Amino acid sequence: MNIIVSSSKESLAEEFAYMLKDMSDTGEKIHVALSGGSTPKVIFDYIAEELGEEIFWDNINFYWGDERCVPPDDSESNYKMTVDHLLSKIDMPEENIFRVLGENDPEEEAIRYSKVLADELPIVNGIPQFDLVMLGMGDDGHTVSIFPYNIDLWDAKENCVVAVHPDSGQKRVTITGKIVNNAKSVAFLVTGANKADKVKEIVMLEGDYAKYPASLVKPTSEELIWYLDRDSAKNLDFSE
Ligand code: 6PG
């Protein structure tokens, strides 16, 4: 596990952006699962504005680690957020973009998207393999759309399942732990003081860490990087 603490969201975005550029420079097609919510907005803005012309977008396929079951133009849509902050500003071929069809029946879409992953990604250890899975973390320790109350979904045998947000009741399609932990590399991008307690518990394996889905992210490749800002890292003690 590597931890990169940046002085600001913008410098965190820069760290991640150049990591993505380096990955795309290999000349091989890379398959990347994007996270949703609000954290990626500043990161996607930075990538579009600073590296939009430098990254060879033909080499990258975008997928989503989770998506809200809403239409693609809904303000809640992770796809819409990505269009607004990145896809509308870069020259990525349409055929490289594999969105979760949030407008579909959730159960049917979970099955369809599971097949998309099986069809599009290399199969390693019998499981579709992403080159990179980008993850956020909620202040309750959830990641993708697997929440503490339904942490058992992490071990589902499917590639994707339907989850329900504990507060809003919103349905979501989410990839499961087998997909996340089979990735070549996983990047947590977590900012804000409201995440600091959970970051400490999970990174330091303290308190109730085992109850949080984010603590189950342990890629077989052992390539896990936490991209943090000062606020989310403020409780970490690097002297230990
Ligand atoms: C989603 C995300 C989710 C997100 C965390 C953090 O669809 O909401 O994929 O897992 O990464 O909830 O969200 P913020 O970045 O908004 O804090």
Side-chain angles (χ1 to χ4, degrees), residues 1-239:
M1 174 195 297
N2 293 324
I3 298 172
I4 299 173
V5 181
S6 302
S7 55
S8 67
K9 287 185 180 180
E10 289 69 25
S11 53
L12 180 154
E14 182 179 21
E15 288 280 349
F16 180 78
Y18 277 95
M19 183 274 289
L20 182 66
K21 177 181 180 320
D22 291 348
M23 285 187 78
S24 68
D25 282 350
T26 60
E28 301 289 317
K29 171 75 80 174
I30 62 169
H31 303 274
V32 177
L34 300 174
S35 63
S38 55
T39 301
K41 293 176 181 175
V42 70
I43 294 159
F44 291 163
D45 287 339
Y46 181 93
I47 292 172
E49 282 141 33
E50 301 301 326
L51 293 173
E53 301 295 318
E54 317 219 337
I55 292 177
F56 190 44
W57 298 107
D58 285 29
N59 274 356
I60 302 178
N61 281 1
F62 277 158
Y63 308 77
W64 277 262
D66 62 332
E67 179 58 279
R68 291 81 179 278
C69 294
V70 295
D73 58 355
D74 188 294
S75 63
E76 276 287 297
S77 166
N78 286 333
Y79 169 75
K80 180 183 185 308
M81 181 273 289
T82 310
V83 169
D84 293 347
H85 292 272
L86 180 62
L87 298 178
S88 59
K89 305 175 192 172
I90 62 172
D91 186 18
M92 173 176 263
E94 273 299 314
E95 62 268 21
N96 290 25
I97 300 167
F98 297 84
R99 74 175 179 92
V100 177
L101 305 181
E103 65 273 30
N104 280 1
D105 170 79
E107 295 296 343
E108 289 176 9
E109 182 57 17
I111 293 166
R112 188 195 73 84
Y113 207 66
S114 291
K115 189 172 183 316
V116 167
L117 301 186
D119 291 345
E120 297 298 328
L121 302 184
I123 302 299
V124 175
N125 310 318
I127 301 168
Q129 183 178 64
F130 280 108
D131 293 276
L132 172 65
V133 172
M134 176 183 173
L135 295 175
M137 186 191 75
D139 56 11
D140 61 354
H142 83 259
T143 192
V144 280
S145 279
I146 298 178
F147 298 86
Y149 88 98
N150 65 355
I151 194 168
D152 292 349
L153 282 182
W154 183 263
D155 294 320
K157 64 181 180 358
E158 296 86 355
N159 296 339
C160 302
V161 292
V162 176
V164 179
H165 192 283
D167 302 325
S168 66
Q170 183 185 66
K171 285 195 173 181
R172 299 177 170 194
V173 172
T174 181
I175 60 175
T176 55
K178 62 186 271 194
I179 298 292
V180 174
N181 284 337
N182 196 48
K184 282 187 183 171
S185 58
V186 179
F188 262 119
L189 294 101
V190 183
T191 61
N194 62 315
K195 310 279 177 82
D197 289 346
K198 291 294 184 296
V199 164
K200 177 178 172 64
E201 282 189 86
I202 291 167
V203 167
M204 309 301 279
L205 303 179
E206 291 177 356
D208 290 329
Y209 73 91
K211 293 180 180 172
Y212 311 134
S215 74
L216 301 178
V217 175
K218 300 171 193 161
T220 310
S221 66
E222 299 187 357
E223 289 295 317
L224 170 59
I225 305 177
W226 285 81
Y227 290 86
L228 304 174
D229 68 355
R230 281 215 186 104
D231 289 340
S232 62
K234 69 185 176 75
N235 294 340
L236 292 180
D237 177 1
F238 290 102
S239 61

